[in-house]
Every structure is written in C-alpha cells, then in structure tokens.
C-alpha cells in the first residue's frame, strides 16, 4: 500500500477515487507546524534557528499519517504545487523523521495542477524530491515576517498604546490606504469649463461635438478656468456655420485579456461579483477541490496544451470558426520566478459550461467568471472603427471635434469584457458618428457650457489595492487575501461600499512607522525584499545570508526606539496628522482662524494625547479645561458637546438630570446614582447621532445591563448589554452578539437562550476540557499519568496539579518520559524553596524573619570563606 498526503479532506476523497485501493490518501489540513508566537521562535544569535510547533489538532494528524506509514511501502507527498505546498511537504517529512516513523520507507514528492484523473495519474509517474530551494525561500519569508512582526509590534505597544500589531506586508498595504485618504482630505478642487454642441448632419443624424480649439489654439483642460472665459468661448461657438475640415477613420483591434492569475481573479471577482479577496479564495479552493478548476494560487498566464485544444474546440462549437484565431493565444507571464509560474486559473473541463455546472451560490458565480475569461482569452480580437471629425465655424474661430467608434466585429466581447476600477479612463466612446466628407456642412442645434471641478483620487477598493500591490511588487498574490483580512480584523481599516477607509488606529500606526521606521514601510524596500526571496527560490542566494543582512539593520532600528519618549512620539504624530486631526476648515467649508483652538475655553491649544486605550485630543489647559474628543473628526458638530454636559431631561425614577457628554472615546450619557455613588454612564452606539438623541433613548441606554430572565437550565441570569464590539447577551462566561442595538432593548428570553446555545455550539460546547496530545507514561513517585498538552503559551507537561512548560528546543513530539519527570519534579520543588512574606503578617513576625535571613546570610558567608 502507498500512502499519499494532500492538504484537504475533500481533495483526499477525490484523489482516492482516481488512484484506487492500492493507495491510502490522507489530509494534512494545511500546515502541520508553525512558529509559536513567543520570543525565541527564530533565534538570530543561533544562525536563525527556527523552533517549529504542532498544535493539538496538527499533532493528531501527524500521528495518523505516521501510523499509516507503518504498513506502507511508500510515502507520496502530494501537497499543493507552490511555495507553501512545498513547505508543508518539508514540514511533514521533518515531523515524521523526528518520530522515526519512516524507517527506510521511500518518500516521493509529486505535484499536479488540477485534480483530474489524468493530471493525478500523470503526476504519480513523475515523482521528484522536495525542492529545497523553494523551501529555503519559504523559511526566509517566514523568518522575515516573524522577526518584523515580533520585534516591531512590542515597540508599538509600548510607544503607541491601543495599537495592535505591525507586519512586513500588512504595514505597507495600510500605508497605501492611509496615503490615499490623506490625498483625498488635502485635495483642492480646481474649476474648469467645457463647451459642448449638438450638431445635425445633412442626413438628419444628430451627434455631439466638443470645443477643441479657439482662435487657432488647441484648448487644454484648464484653458477655460471660469464662467467668464466659458461665456466668451460659448459665444464664439454659437456663431455656427460649421463644415467638416478633417475626417479620420482607422481600424482598431482590442485583444482579449489573459486567463486569470490569483491577483486578477481577486480583482475581477471584486469588481463584477462584489467578493472580498478572502471570499474569492474560499470559493476558488472549493472549486479546485471539486476538480472544476486548476490550482488557484499562481502567477502564470498560460495554459496546458490540452487546455488550448479544448478551449478552441469549445469556441468553434459555440461561436463558429469566425471567432477562432488561427493559432492559440499565448501570453507572457509577469512572474519573476519561473518556478512559481504555474498554469493559469482555468476550468479543468471546458465542455462543462457555466449553465451545466450544478454548484450553487459563490461557486457557480466564480466558476462562470473563470470559464468565460479562460475561453475568451482564446477568441478573436474585437474590431472597431474609430472616427474623428473636425468642424470649423463660418468665422473660423471655433473648431469642434466629434469622436466615436463602432464595433465592426465583436470577437471576444461577445463572451466577456473586463471590469474597470474607479478612476480608470474609459477610452472607448460608445457614440456612433454619421458618415461625412470634407467640406460637408453640419447645422448647430444647441451649444452650452458646463462647469466642472477636478475630483480627488478614489479610495482603494480591494481590487484596486491588490492591483497596486502587484504593480509595486509587494507581497505575493497568495497572501493578499490574508493581508486585507488582517487589516480589517485589527480595526486598522473598514470596508464601506467596497471602499477601504483607514480607521484612527490605522492612521496612527502608519504615522508612527513613517516617522520612526520609515525604511521598513518604503515601497521600493519591501519590493526589493520580495525580489530577493524570489532569487532564493531560484537557488541564487543563500537564505541565511539574506536574513543576516536584514537583521543587522533592522535590529539597530529597533534599538534606536528604546530611548524614545512618548513626548517625542506625540510631537511627531501631531505634526504628521495635523491636517487630518485639526482640519483647516469647519464642516461648512469655512476657514478656521486657528484649527487647534480649544472650542470650550477658547484659550488652550488642542493636541494629540495618548491614553492606555489609544489616542485622543485634549486641551493644553487641562485640568482647568477638561475638553476632550476622539482622535477623528468625521463630523465636528458631533463633538461640539459641552464636556460638562447638556441636560436631556430628568430620570423618572430618581429625579436626577440625564446628561449628554463627550469624552476621549466619544459622546455618552450620564446620570447620578446618588451622593457618594459613582454615576451611571453609557456610550452612544455607532450610528446614533448625539444631536438628535432623545431622553427616551438615553434612558434605554442607561438601563443597561438589563436582565432578560433566568436561564431555564441552571437559573443563572441572562444579561443584555452594550460592549466594545456592539450589543450582546451574556450567560455566565458565554457572550453572544445581538444583530442590532434596537433588538437589545426588546430581546426576550427565548431569543436570548437561542443565541447563547448557538454560540456554545459554534465553539464546540463552551469551555470543554482540553484534551492531552498524548500520555508519556506514569510518574514513579505515585504511578499517576504524565500528559503532554498544547497551551496558550506553548506546549507543557502535566502531572496532577503540576504543569511544566517545555524548553524551546523540545517539542511535544520529541519530549521523553525521563525529561518530563525531571521538569515536573523541578517545578514541584520550587514553591517549597520560596520564602513568602505576605503583607498580612504582623510586624514582629517580619522582624524575626529578617533576623533569621541575616543570620543565614552570615553563616553562608562564613562557609564560603572556609
């Protein structure tokens, strides 16, 4: 029997059908080991030694594979055909060798780009060894990301409270989003005018033309800067009497785009289907595992020879020979490393048209997109006739120009047209012009002027950001989805109507990094690192030499921040974020005399302050003036509330005033709980306008947390409340989100119990007991078992109530019973050796203890002298 290891169980099931009973196909479920998120996982002082660890689930899968190999005569590693897939095979081989599970069994590596019977059986006939150069590139990338994240993030935590983390690619992507937002905020619109005329040809066809030249001078965009200039030009146009002075017609061809690669698939799915990058990759993964498409993580734009033949056959069958080029279309790859230039993303069987595919929802939509793009890439070019007509007025002052084009042959457009991002120029005018000759007259029906203002650059969408990262050579197509998800998960950006908008935290982190780690968020520097990683995978650069060069400079940059004071950070942030935090104009567009003037006292200056939960704006006259507001100013009127409070009315139960106030975390409501008692406060939920807040809604907020009722199973209360992440219900230690704030005040017991039950079910039944990875044996002292566990801070061994963390060089797979006994015994003795001095002890006891300690010290010293 031969054991085959792939990455997913769905893929394992499909491949097992192709290979038959002589093979056993198992799934690794992705990566089986990773670097623990603790200090020392990558050790630069020990030649970048890396400590790998398998969590409890991965350890059980490694055991399953190891057990299967005991009765096997060959192990075949068939993980995905990319850098990550090569790394998973390498990890599996290392883990199995450490367990001594192979015992001379031959190991082969095979790759296939599609899960079809033909592709799989062909791959089995062409085994190879693990590509160590690809593995080295993976190790370099993983070590690089760890060193940047693990050393940069603590600097952020210390110097910039409220920030979450920094990452090599993530921070650069965030910088792009923040810079675009700053461009939008500081954009100054420029006025310009255009003149358009409605003309009628001699055959009665109406068409439009624009003023192109005046008095013999071609007009540029801003040559009509105001209404006065536009009016004068309009008068010249209205003279009329136009005749054709030039006719230019030329044929134009547009070739189809290539089949999808990972990044273009993400971009087009975002434009056409509204899918986030993560959603696209999840759907593509399922299509791949079903055997419907080729591997979806690729930089390659060409297809296998059989795919060219199949797609051309489909084109001729569906559309006829006119739509089929003489030869297959082949495209040049943008991939910098040929080893990663796999086949493009395409259907495995072109005869399965989208309407014949039975998949539902996202899978059908994405399959349709992939099928159409791949087929269209092999179709004939679309043919247009582009025409330009120039007209001159009878007084020869105004020259009008009309442009248009017509489709002569639709070609690939019959099946597919590529989407566009905001800000892309639409080069193809749909206008169709009449057939005219030089000297022919055209009648002026109407002419009008139109005012325009230049527009700021559009915010990035996921599609346009992926496109920009790819243009800059930053990151890898396979990592874009996780990079974008990380930015959203850490509240650095938010997605609104497909636009990426930076949050305050994101802007603070970017400003900090630009000021104190500028080199590591530079686009050229990050792209250069990517190029070097490609050179490593090509076998032309030693990965450890690369890391050494990087670490020397990076370590020095981190060391430079140790003496950095928070006041230095604040000064830099105040300068960098000044235009955003203290805008020069108010909400109505009026210039402010002093953007930093305190609106409460009128004397102090506003500046950024750092608190334990992040940044806020405060007055320089604190504590005399207690004005504070959140970091951002989306709507200054929202934050123009008097910090002392605006009375909304009286509380019906206590008669105390209910006040609307604002603080560093935004507006909130407050009422007194009686003399000497802490006031009750509740923040306004997102989306609630302070200006229109009523007493009724304020009282609802102040009623939180409210008891919904007792849980029917244990009689414990279920509470409804508003938290940092929105409305929720709570039962003991289980918290379940409530869909909207309005429901929070009305939710009944049945609904709350259902939400709690669903939350428990989603996490596997709540606080279930942690299962051990394995039992090592019995402790000789009491014959009780010693188990190995996966803990929050790394693996550990447990005996009774004693837990002992494994040293970093020891893994759950390699720890022995003897080592575990030694660790547990050492840990068990520690408490007995410690002398405790509890604060509750009497003074006399403390003195006695002190004397004994002093005597002990003298005795010890005397013995040492002897």
């Amino acid at each position: 029997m031969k054991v085959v290891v792939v990455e997913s169980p769905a893929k394992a099931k499909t491949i097992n059908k192709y290979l038959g009973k002589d093979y056993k196909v198992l799934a690794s479920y992705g990566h089986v080991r990773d670097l623990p998120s603790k200090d020392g996982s990558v050790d630069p002082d020990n030649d970048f030694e890396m400590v790998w660890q398998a969590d409890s689930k991965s350890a059980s899968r490694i055991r399953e594979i190891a057990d299967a190999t005991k009765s096997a005569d060959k192990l075949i590693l068939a993980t995905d055909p990319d850098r990550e897939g090569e790394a998973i095979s390498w990890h599996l081989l290392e883990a199995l060798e450490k367990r001594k599970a192979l015992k001379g069994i031959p190991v082969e590596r095979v790759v296939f780009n599609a899960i079809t019977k033909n592709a799989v059986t062909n791959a089995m006939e062409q085994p190879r060894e693990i590509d160590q150069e690809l593995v080295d590139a993976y190790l370099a990338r993983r070590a690089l990301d760890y060193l940047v994240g693990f050393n940069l993030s603590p600097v952020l935590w210390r110097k910039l409270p409220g920030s979450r983390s920094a990452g090599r690619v993530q921070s650069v992507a965030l910088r792009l989003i923040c810079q675009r937002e700053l461009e939008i905020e500081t954009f100054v619109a420029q006025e310009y005018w255009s003149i358009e005329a409605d003309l009628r040809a001699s055959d009665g066809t109406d068409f439009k033309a624009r003023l192109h030249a005046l008095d013999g001078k071609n007009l540029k965009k801003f040559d009509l800067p105001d209404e006065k200039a536009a009016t004068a030009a309009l008068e010249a146009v209205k003279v009329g009497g136009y005749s054709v002075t030039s006719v230019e017609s030329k044929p134009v061809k547009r070739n189809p785009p290539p089949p999808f690669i990972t990044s273009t698939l993400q971009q087009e799915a975002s434009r056409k289907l509204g899918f986030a990058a993560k959603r696209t990759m999840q759907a593509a993964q399922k299509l791949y595992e079903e055997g419907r498409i080729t591997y979806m993580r690729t930089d390659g734009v060409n297809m296998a020879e059989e795919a060219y033949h199949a797609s051309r056959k489909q084109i001729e069958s569906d559309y006829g020979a006119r739509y089929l080029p003489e030869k297959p279309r082949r495209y040049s790859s943008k991939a910098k490393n040929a080893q990663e230039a796999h086949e493009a993303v395409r259907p495995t069987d072109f005869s399965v048209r989208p309407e014949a595919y039975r998949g539902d929802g996202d899978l059908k939509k994405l399959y349709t997109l992939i099928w159409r793009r791949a087929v269209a890439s092999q179709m004939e070019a679309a043919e247009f006739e582009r025409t330009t007509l120039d007209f001159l007025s009878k007084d020869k002052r105004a020259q009008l120009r009309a442009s248009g084009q017509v489709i002569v042959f639709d070609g690939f457009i019959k099946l597919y047209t590529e989407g566009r991002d905001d800000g892309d120029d639409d080069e193809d005018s749909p206008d169709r012009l009449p057939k005219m000759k030089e000297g022919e007259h055209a009648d002026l029906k109407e002419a009008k002027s139109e005012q325009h203002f230049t527009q700021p650059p559009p915010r990035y969408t996921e599609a346009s950001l992926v496109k920009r990262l790819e243009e800059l050579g930053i990151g890898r197509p396979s990592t874009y989805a996780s990079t974008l998800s990380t930015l959203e998960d850490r509240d650095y950006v938010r997605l609104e109507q497909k636009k990426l908008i930076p949050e305050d935290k994101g802007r603070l982190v970017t400003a900090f990094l630009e000021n104190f780690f500028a080199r590591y968020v530079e686009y050229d520097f990050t792209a250069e690192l990517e190029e070097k990683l490609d050179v490593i995978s090509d076998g032309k650069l030693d990965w450890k030499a690369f890391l050494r060069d990087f670490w020397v400079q990076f370590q020095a940059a981190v060391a430079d921040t140790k003496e950095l004071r928070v006041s230095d950070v604040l000064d830099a942030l105040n300068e960098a974020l000044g235009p955003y935090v203290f805008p020069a104009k108010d909400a109505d567009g009026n210039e402010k005399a002093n953007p930093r003037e305190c609106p409460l006292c009128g004397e102090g200056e506003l500046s950024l302050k750092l608190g334990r939960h992040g940044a806020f704006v405060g007055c320089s006259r604190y504590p005399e003036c207690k004005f504070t507001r959140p970091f951002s100013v989306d709507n200054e009127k929202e934050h123009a509330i008097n910090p002392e409070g605006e009375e909304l009315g009286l509380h019906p139960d206590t008669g105390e005033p209910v006040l609307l106030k604002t603080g560093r975390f935004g507006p909130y409501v407050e009422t007194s709980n009686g003399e000497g008692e802490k006031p009750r406060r509740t923040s306004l939920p997102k989306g609630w306008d302070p200006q229109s807040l009523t007493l009724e809604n304020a009282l609802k907020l102040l009623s939180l947390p409210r008891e919904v009722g007792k849980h029917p199973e244990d009689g414990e209360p279920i509470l409804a409340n508003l938290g940092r992440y929105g409305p929720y219900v709570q039962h003991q230690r289980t918290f379940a989100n409530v869909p909207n704030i309005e429901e929070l005040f009305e939710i009944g017991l049945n609904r709350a119990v259902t939400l709690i039950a669903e939350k428990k079910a989603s996490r596997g039944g709540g606080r279930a007991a942690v299962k051990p990875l394995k039992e090592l044996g019995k402790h000789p002292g009491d014959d009780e078992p010693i188990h190995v566990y996966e803990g929050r801070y790394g693996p550990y061994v447990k005996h009774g109530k004693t837990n002992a963390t494994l040293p970093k060089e020891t893994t759950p797979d390699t720890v022995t019973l003897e080592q575990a006994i030694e660790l547990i015994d050492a840990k068990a003795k520690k408490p007995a050796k410690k002398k405790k001095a509890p604060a509750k002890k009497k003074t006399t006891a403390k003195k006695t203890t002190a004397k004994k300690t002093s005597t002990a010290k003298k005795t010890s010293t005397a013995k040492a002298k002897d």
Side-chain angles (χ1 to χ4, degrees):
M1 182 192 70
K2 300 178 180 67
V3 173
V4 180
V5 182
V6 295
E7 290 188 32
S8 77
K11 196 190 302 183
K13 190 176 179 182
T14 306
I15 291 171
N16 228 142
K17 290 178 186 175
Y18 297 151
L19 296 177
K21 61 182 180 180
D22 293 336
Y23 291 82
K24 183 174 184 178
V25 186
L26 300 173
S28 73
Y29 290 80
H31 274 284
V32 293
R33 302 191 305 182
D34 200 1
L35 296 170
S37 54
K38 62 180 182 180
D39 195 12
S41 293
V42 178
D43 188 358
D45 296 331
N46 195 16
D47 202 23
F48 298 95
E49 182 182 337
M50 302 167 80
V51 177
W52 301 101
Q53 180 180 303
D55 61 23
S56 55
K57 289 181 180 178
S58 295
S60 67
R61 284 161 193 151
I62 293 170
R63 276 200 303 276
E64 183 187 7
I65 295 166
D67 291 342
T69 58
K70 289 176 183 177
S71 56
D73 47 39
K74 186 182 287 186
L75 173 65
I76 301 170
L77 301 171
T79 49
D80 289 345
D82 61 0
R83 188 184 285 168
E84 292 298 311
E86 206 72 21
I88 291 170
S89 284
W90 174 81
H91 275 299
L92 272 169
L93 188 58
E94 273 226 328
L96 292 171
E97 285 175 343
K98 281 191 176 180
R99 295 176 70 95
K100 298 180 179 176
L102 298 176
K103 295 180 181 176
I105 297 171
V107 179
E108 294 177 350
R109 169 82 169 115
V110 302
V111 293
F112 37 80
N113 197 47
I115 304 175
T116 61
K117 188 170 185 177
N118 188 43
V120 172
T121 52
N122 284 346
M124 293 297 167
E125 294 169 5
Q126 301 175 54
R128 61 169 172 82
E129 293 184 348
I130 286 176
D131 187 332
Q132 191 57 46
E133 289 163 354
L134 268 187
V135 173
D136 288 348
Y138 158 80
L139 293 172
R141 181 186 294 277
R142 194 67 192 86
L144 189 65
D145 289 342
Y146 172 89
L147 291 170
V148 171
F150 205 82
N151 288 278
L152 206 50
S153 295
V155 174
L156 281 174
W157 301 336
R158 290 192 300 268
K159 309 299 181 183
L160 198 64
S163 56
R164 298 282 294 277
S165 69
R168 185 177 61 87
V169 176
Q170 154 201 328
S171 297
V172 179
L174 178 60
R175 185 187 177 207
L176 278 169
I177 297 167
C178 291
Q179 281 199 331
R180 176 58 58 87
E181 196 69 17
L182 187 62
E183 287 172 26
I184 293 168
E185 289 163 353
T186 56
F187 179 80
V188 179
Q190 188 172 350
E191 182 184 6
Y192 66 99
W193 290 70
S194 65
I195 311 293
E196 188 175 78
D198 291 334
L199 300 178
R200 177 170 290 171
S202 55
D203 65 358
T205 304
D206 292 338
F207 60 98
K208 294 184 181 297
R210 298 175 75 87
L211 179 61
H212 177 66
L214 188 64
D215 294 327
K217 178 189 175 186
N218 288 348
L219 292 178
K220 295 178 183 176
K221 187 172 184 175
F222 299 108
D223 281 352
L224 300 179
D226 51 37
E227 188 175 8
K228 182 180 178 183
T231 302
L234 183 61
E235 290 304 315
V237 171
K238 285 182 177 179
V239 168
Y242 289 96
S243 58
V244 179
T245 58
S246 169
V247 179
E248 184 181 332
S249 293
K250 60 180 179 180
V252 178
K253 280 191 173 184
R254 192 199 303 168
N255 291 318
F260 284 127
I261 61 174
T262 307
S263 56
T264 55
L265 177 62
Q266 292 173 3
Q267 291 167 44
E268 198 72 340
S270 174
R271 296 182 193 116
K272 288 183 177 286
L273 306 177
F275 287 7
K278 186 176 181 180
R279 184 178 172 186
T280 299
M281 296 309 287
Q282 286 172 342
Q285 179 78 38
K286 289 175 184 174
L287 287 171
Y288 170 62
E289 289 170 359
E290 283 185 7
R292 296 295 179 185
I293 64 170
T294 54
Y295 191 55
M296 63 286 162
R297 291 189 177 91
T298 175
D299 287 331
V301 289
N302 277 306
M303 303 191 293
E305 287 304 317
E306 62 265 25
Y308 288 122
H309 177 74
S311 60
R312 287 171 62 81
K313 183 179 177 182
Q314 195 68 39
I315 292 165
E316 188 167 21
S317 168
D318 289 356
Y319 303 103
R322 176 71 178 88
Y323 287 84
L324 190 65
E326 186 180 339
K327 296 178 181 177
R329 289 186 178 275
R330 301 179 192 277
Y331 299 87
S332 58
S333 174
K334 292 182 181 179
K336 296 172 185 174
N337 189 329
Q339 287 177 310
E340 293 194 59
H342 301 298
E343 214 184 331
V345 185
R346 63 163 178 89
T348 54
D349 185 353
F350 283 90
S351 67
V352 180
R353 293 180 57 83
E355 54 268 26
Y357 173 56
R358 295 180 181 178
D360 294 326
D362 288 1
L363 300 195
K364 190 173 183 70
K365 290 176 183 176
L366 198 65
Y367 180 78
T368 301
L369 195 64
I370 292 167
W371 188 92
R372 287 183 175 174
R373 174 91 167 214
V375 173
S377 75
Q378 294 305 309
M379 293 175 75
E380 269 289 10
E383 297 175 11
F384 303 85
E385 183 181 74
R386 186 168 292 166
T387 304
T388 302
L389 299 176
D390 285 339
F391 301 85
L392 198 60
S393 61
K394 63 184 179 184
D395 64 359
K396 301 190 182 330
R397 287 192 64 204
Q399 180 187 330
L400 303 182
R401 173 167 287 181
S403 299
Q405 68 179 22
V406 293
I407 297 176
V408 176
F409 172 63
D410 55 4
F412 77 93
I413 290 175
K414 190 176 188 72
L415 178 63
Y416 179 86
T417 53
E418 192 171 20
R420 295 179 182 276
D421 293 317
D422 290 347
D424 285 356
D425 292 329
D426 188 357
E427 60 188 32
D428 306 314
S429 168
D431 293 340
R432 185 165 187 166
L433 298 178
K435 292 284 185 183
M436 300 188 77
K437 297 180 293 186
E438 280 190 37
E440 195 171 338
H441 291 282
D443 295 328
L444 176 66
K445 291 177 61 186
E446 185 185 5
K448 58 185 178 182
S449 60
E450 188 176 355
Q451 183 185 36
H452 307 275
F453 290 94
T454 52
Q455 297 298 309
R459 287 186 172 114
Y460 282 111
T461 61
E462 286 201 348
S464 59
L465 182 62
V466 165
K467 184 178 178 182
R468 185 64 181 139
L469 287 169
E470 191 179 32
E471 288 170 352
L472 292 169
I474 293 168
R476 268 278 168 262
S478 58
T479 65
Y480 292 150
S482 59
T483 297
L484 294 172
S485 293
T486 300
L487 292 177
E488 291 179 50
D489 293 344
R490 289 176 178 162
D491 296 325
Y492 285 168
V493 302
R494 68 181 186 275
L495 199 60
E496 281 186 10
Q497 298 178 332
K498 297 187 183 180
K499 310 290 185 185
L500 290 163
I501 304 171
E503 297 281 19
D504 294 347
K505 282 181 184 177
R507 301 188 75 142
L508 280 166
V509 167
T510 296
F512 178 85
L513 294 175
E514 285 179 332
N515 276 275
F516 302 104
F517 288 91
R519 177 175 171 77
Y520 301 97
V521 287
E522 285 176 1
Y523 307 135
D524 290 347
F525 176 75
T526 310
E528 186 183 320
L529 291 179
E530 294 291 348
E531 287 176 8
K532 286 183 178 178
L533 289 168
D534 284 340
V535 174
I536 292 169
S537 63
D538 208 22
K540 296 175 182 175
L541 177 63
D542 179 71
W543 70 282
K544 288 190 176 181
F546 160 72
L547 286 175
R548 280 192 286 272
D549 289 344
F550 172 82
W551 179 244
V552 168
Q553 298 176 49
F554 183 68
Q555 188 182 31
V558 172
D560 287 345
T561 64
K562 287 183 179 176
E563 303 302 319
L564 192 63
R565 296 182 178 181
V566 173
S567 59
D568 299 328
V569 173
L570 279 173
D571 288 344
L573 295 182
N574 266 301
E575 182 67 30
L577 295 170
Y580 167 61
V581 185
F582 311 108
K585 294 182 180 180
D586 61 23
D588 298 321
N590 302 314
E591 291 282 344
K592 296 179 185 176
N594 179 8
R596 293 181 185 249
E597 182 183 289
C598 177
L600 182 62
C601 68
E603 298 177 24
E605 288 257 322
L606 298 182
S607 64
L608 279 176
K609 312 283 184 185
L610 287 177
R612 59 186 295 188
H613 299 296
F616 64 97
V617 172
C619 180
S620 60
R621 292 186 62 247
Y622 180 86
E624 287 80 11
C625 176
K626 295 181 179 178
F627 178 84
T628 58
R629 67 164 170 80
F631 169 66
S632 61
V633 196
D634 294 331
N635 180 356
E636 282 195 290
K637 292 179 181 177
E638 184 176 301
H639 306 295
I641 304 163
N642 189 330
E644 300 301 321
E646 295 175 8
E647 188 173 318
L648 297 172
L650 300 179
H651 197 291
D653 296 336
T654 64
E656 294 289 340
V658 175
L659 302 173
L660 171 63
K661 294 187 170 185
T662 188
R664 63 181 66 175
F665 306 116
Y668 63 94
V669 289
E670 176 185 288
T671 190
S672 173
N673 269 341
E675 196 172 333
E677 295 291 325
K678 190 176 179 181
R680 178 175 292 184
R681 297 185 179 116
T682 305
S683 295
L684 264 64
K686 261 188 176 180
W688 280 33
D689 180 14
Q691 305 301 322
S692 57
L693 183 69
T694 62
L695 176 62
E696 180 187 2
N697 282 339
L699 293 173
K700 283 182 180 179
L701 290 173
L702 291 168
S703 71
L704 300 175
R706 74 177 185 90
E707 186 175 317
V708 178
K710 307 291 185 185
H711 198 288
E713 291 179 5
D714 56 16
E716 291 295 323
I718 294 179
L719 302 177
N721 204 358
L722 183 65
R724 183 180 175 189
Y725 301 108
Y728 66 91
V729 287
Q730 175 189 358
H731 171 245
Q732 294 184 325
R733 294 189 179 184
T734 300
F735 299 80
N737 292 332
V738 174
N740 58 69
I741 183 69
E742 285 72 22
E743 187 180 356
L744 190 66
F745 306 117
E746 302 166 0
I747 192 167
L749 185 59
N750 288 340
R751 169 73 169 147
V753 169
T754 301
L755 289 173
I756 294 290
E758 287 172 352
K759 182 59 182 280
K760 285 183 176 178
S762 70
R763 68 185 191 196
R767 295 172 62 84
V770 178
K771 292 182 181 179
L773 299 179
K774 62 180 177 180
E775 183 180 323
L776 291 174
K778 310 285 186 183
H779 194 289
D782 56 8
D783 210 32
E784 288 296 314
I786 296 176
H787 291 105
V788 185
Y789 285 86
E790 178 65 47
R792 183 179 177 187
Y793 302 105
Y796 64 95
V797 288
K798 182 179 180 70
H799 168 250
K801 293 184 178 179
T802 304
N803 298 346
T805 303
L806 295 183
K808 66 179 181 179
E809 66 275 3
T810 307
T811 68
D813 291 335
T814 59
V815 66
T816 63
L817 177 62
E818 292 72 22
Q819 287 175 305
I821 292 169
E822 188 178 336
L823 289 167
I824 284 165
D825 288 351
K827 187 71 180 282
K829 288 175 184 176
K830 277 186 180 179
K833 288 181 179 178
K834 275 189 176 180
K835 292 271 185 181
K836 290 187 178 180
K840 290 182 180 178
K841 283 193 176 182
K842 293 181 180 178
T843 311
T844 52
K846 283 183 180 177
K847 287 179 180 177
T848 307
T849 307
K851 285 179 182 178
K852 284 182 181 179
T853 306
S854 176
T855 309
K857 281 181 181 177
K858 286 177 183 177
T859 308
S860 176
T861 308
K863 284 181 180 179
K865 286 177 180 177
D866 291 340

